[in-house]
């Protein structure tokens, strides 16, 4: 979590205002703002990333009380509005500005997503009896050491929190040392995993155990996957392949590779479906269908220099996961999944053997898929207690 250094707070507030002018600057100064029903929830998310990560929580809160969303960026505001929420640019951390904003919105609870505490916002909300909650909090050891030098600033902000859910145990402990009250600590949540954890896979369809998905391939990986598939198909003739390039515009290039290997295939962009022996999934927005269809998933980006893609989407669908050696983007996740027997590293020469073993052993496939989903659910956490805590705080303020 990037907690802003004490000496830079005032300058940061001014810099946040600098890129804006006209109506946008008026929003930042709280001279204009949303027409709201008083007593709702003020949810602050810095920008698009935070909004996306907290989408499950936001949807749940919006279904209970009026919701006003603030962001620091125009792109964040645009996304919030696209999702159907009343959204404005966040008020600057200046007392008079905050007074205007709070007078207009009259929130019962302020929910901050992940990454920002501001001293004036904290003090002004507290003075008006607004409960304050942080979700998905994280703070590095380095940031904690800097904040420890200014306890008079960080301690009051943390002490005012009615609830905080950290992303990890280290962040939680560091925040307690800096002034967070033990009674405010809620169960840890990984916001980014709540979306995948919400997936309901359902029963396996026919042929799933004999279907392999190569998810999000990059240039240079398609050949490796196709050759491994062809080798495995020698041993398991009924084996099917769904090849999903990361960038669908590569569809023609991938189709040329399939033709060079002499494979009969269909293209999703031309109406083909997963019942084919080989499907080139050269479209966007249908990955859930491919995860649902495949019992084995090769997570790509891991056979090139891209650092690998997330394992949690295939885990959500109970796929047995195979991956290459380059998983730097999610190293700890893959290490845990490998150790639990939920995923398996299979480098180029070993990939065909791994595919063959799993295709011949659907029980191992299912066991790996269940273990992967169990890991996902454990890491994501259950948001229900935190949501109840927020709603209890809101109703307590409204009573």
């Amino acid at each position: 979590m990037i907690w802003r250094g004490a000496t830079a707070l005032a300058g940061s507030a001014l810099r946040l205002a600098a890129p804006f002018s006209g109506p946008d600057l008026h929003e930042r100064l709280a001279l204009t703002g949303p027409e709201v029903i008083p007593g709702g929830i003020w949810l602050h998310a810095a920008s698009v990333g935070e909004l996306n990560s907290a989408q499950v929580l936001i949807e749940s809160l919006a279904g209970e009380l009026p919701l006003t969303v603030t962001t620091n960026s125009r792109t964040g505001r645009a996304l919030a509005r696209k999702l159907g929420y009343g959204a404005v640019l966040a008020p600057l951390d200046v007392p008079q500005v905050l007074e205007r904003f709070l007078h207009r919105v009259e929130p019962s609870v302020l929910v901050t997503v992940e990454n920002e505490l501001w001293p004036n916002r904290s003090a002004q909300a507290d003075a008006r009896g607004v409960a304050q909650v942080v979700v998905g909090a994280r703070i590095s050891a380095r940031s904690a050491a800097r904040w420890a030098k200014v306890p008079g600033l960080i301690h009051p902000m943390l002490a005012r929190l009615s609830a905080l859910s950290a992303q990890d145990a280290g962040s939680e402990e560091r925040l307690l040392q800096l002034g967070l009250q033990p009674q405010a600590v809620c169960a840890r949540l990984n916001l980014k995993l709540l979306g995948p954890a919400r997936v309901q896979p359902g029963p396996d369809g026919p042929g799933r155990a004999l279907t392999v998905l190569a998810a999000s391939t990059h240039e240079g990986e398609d050949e490796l996957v196709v050759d491994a598939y062809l080798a495995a198909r020698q041993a398991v003739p009924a084996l099917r392949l769904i090849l999903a390039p990361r960038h669908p515009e590569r569809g023609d290039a991938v189709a040329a590779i399939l033709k060079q290997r002499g494979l009969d295939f269909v293209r999703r962009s031309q109406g083909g479906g997963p019942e084919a022996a080989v499907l080139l999934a050269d479209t966007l927005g249908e990955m859930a269908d491919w995860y649902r269809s495949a019992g084995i998933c090769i997570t790509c980006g891991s056979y090139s220099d891209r650092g690998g893609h997330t394992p949690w989407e295939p885990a959500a669908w109970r796929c047995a996961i195979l991956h290459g050696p380059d998983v730097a983007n999610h190293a700890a996740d893959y290490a845990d999944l490998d150790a639990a027997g939920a995923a398996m590293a299979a480098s180029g020469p070993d990939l065909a053997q791994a595919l063959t073993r799993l295709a011949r052993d659907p029980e191992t496939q299912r066991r790996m898929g269940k273990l992967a989903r169990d890991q996902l659910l454990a890491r994501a956490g259950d948001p229900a207690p935190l949501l109840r805590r927020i709603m209890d705080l809101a109703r307590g303020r409204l009573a």
Side-chain angles (χ1 to χ4, degrees):
M1 182 171 186
I2 303 172
W3 295 69
R4 299 184 183 278
T7 58
L9 283 167
S12 295
L14 292 174
R15 283 195 296 275
L16 283 173
F20 299 97
S21 61
D24 288 342
L25 181 58
H26 288 173
E27 277 190 13
R28 298 242 63 171
L29 296 175
L31 296 170
T32 59
E35 295 296 326
V36 300
I37 301 172
I41 294 172
W42 170 15
L43 184 136
H44 176 73
S47 193
V48 171
E50 290 80 6
L51 280 170
N52 282 330
S53 71
Q55 192 166 342
V56 171
L57 287 177
I58 295 171
E59 288 176 2
S60 298
L61 292 172
E64 296 288 341
L65 282 176
L67 185 71
T68 299
V69 176
T70 62
T71 72
N72 294 340
S73 70
R74 297 183 184 91
T75 53
R77 180 184 62 183
L79 174 60
R81 289 176 176 174
K82 182 179 179 181
L83 294 172
Y85 307 122
V88 293
L89 296 171
L92 297 178
D93 198 52
V94 176
Q96 296 87 342
V97 174
L98 289 161
E99 286 176 9
R100 286 194 293 268
F101 182 86
L102 289 167
H103 179 73
R104 177 181 294 114
V105 177
E106 295 185 37
S108 56
V109 180
L110 164 58
V111 178
T112 299
V113 179
E114 288 192 22
N115 69 337
E116 289 189 325
L117 289 181
W118 291 89
N120 288 317
R121 183 183 298 179
S122 170
Q124 293 266 349
D126 184 64
R128 287 177 172 260
V130 179
Q132 299 178 56
V133 177
V134 176
V135 298
R138 54 190 172 91
I139 182 170
S140 68
R142 183 178 179 184
S143 292
R146 287 200 300 265
W147 275 113
K149 297 175 181 178
V150 284
L153 190 61
I154 186 63
H155 188 284
M157 288 192 287
L158 292 174
R160 292 178 187 125
L161 295 177
S162 299
L164 179 142
S165 171
Q167 289 197 21
D168 57 83
S171 291
E172 184 180 290
E173 180 58 33
R174 287 187 280 271
L175 291 168
L176 284 165
Q177 292 172 0
L178 288 170
L180 178 67
Q181 299 302 296
Q183 63 269 24
V185 175
C186 298
R188 292 188 288 273
L189 294 175
N190 188 319
L191 298 182
K192 293 179 175 64
L193 298 187
L194 292 181
R198 194 167 53 167
V199 166
Q200 298 296 325
D204 290 349
R208 188 172 194 257
L210 289 170
T211 303
V212 178
L213 167 64
S216 297
T217 63
H218 291 267
E219 186 175 359
E221 294 183 310
D222 305 282
E223 295 91 339
L224 184 151
V225 167
V226 170
D227 290 343
Y229 163 72
L230 283 169
R233 201 170 73 169
Q234 294 295 314
V236 187
L239 194 63
R240 297 188 295 201
L241 173 66
I242 300 173
L243 192 58
R246 179 72 169 181
H247 305 291
E249 59 268 24
R250 294 184 53 244
D252 289 345
V254 177
I257 293 168
L258 294 170
K259 290 176 182 177
Q260 289 169 2
R261 299 306 195 271
L263 280 167
D264 291 328
F265 65 95
V266 299
R267 296 179 67 158
R268 180 59 179 166
S269 60
Q270 297 173 2
E275 68 282 350
V278 178
L279 169 66
L280 173 52
D282 53 347
T283 55
L284 286 172
E286 296 187 289
M287 283 302 297
D289 292 334
W290 315 144
Y291 288 126
R292 184 185 296 110
S293 300
I296 305 168
C297 179
I298 305 170
T299 55
C300 294
S302 61
Y303 294 94
S304 55
D305 58 355
R306 271 82 176 183
H309 298 303
T310 176
W312 299 120
E313 291 180 5
W317 293 96
R318 295 196 312 260
C319 297
I321 298 170
L322 300 176
H323 63 86
D326 184 8
V327 292
N329 294 341
H330 306 276
D333 296 337
Y334 278 102
D336 289 347
L337 288 164
D338 289 352
M344 184 189 311
S347 61
D350 298 328
L351 184 56
Q353 294 179 11
L355 289 175
T356 301
R357 288 198 301 271
L358 288 176
R360 284 175 165 171
D361 188 356
E363 185 57 38
T364 295
Q365 263 190 63
R366 285 190 286 270
R367 184 173 66 252
M368 288 179 67
K370 181 181 183 304
L371 287 169
R373 181 167 173 82
D374 288 347
Q375 286 265 319
L376 166 66
L377 296 178
R379 280 173 171 258
D382 180 4
L386 177 63
L387 289 165
R388 286 196 297 269
R389 183 85 167 264
I390 293 171
M391 295 311 304
D392 287 346
L393 289 167
R395 294 186 181 107
R397 293 306 191 276
L398 292 172

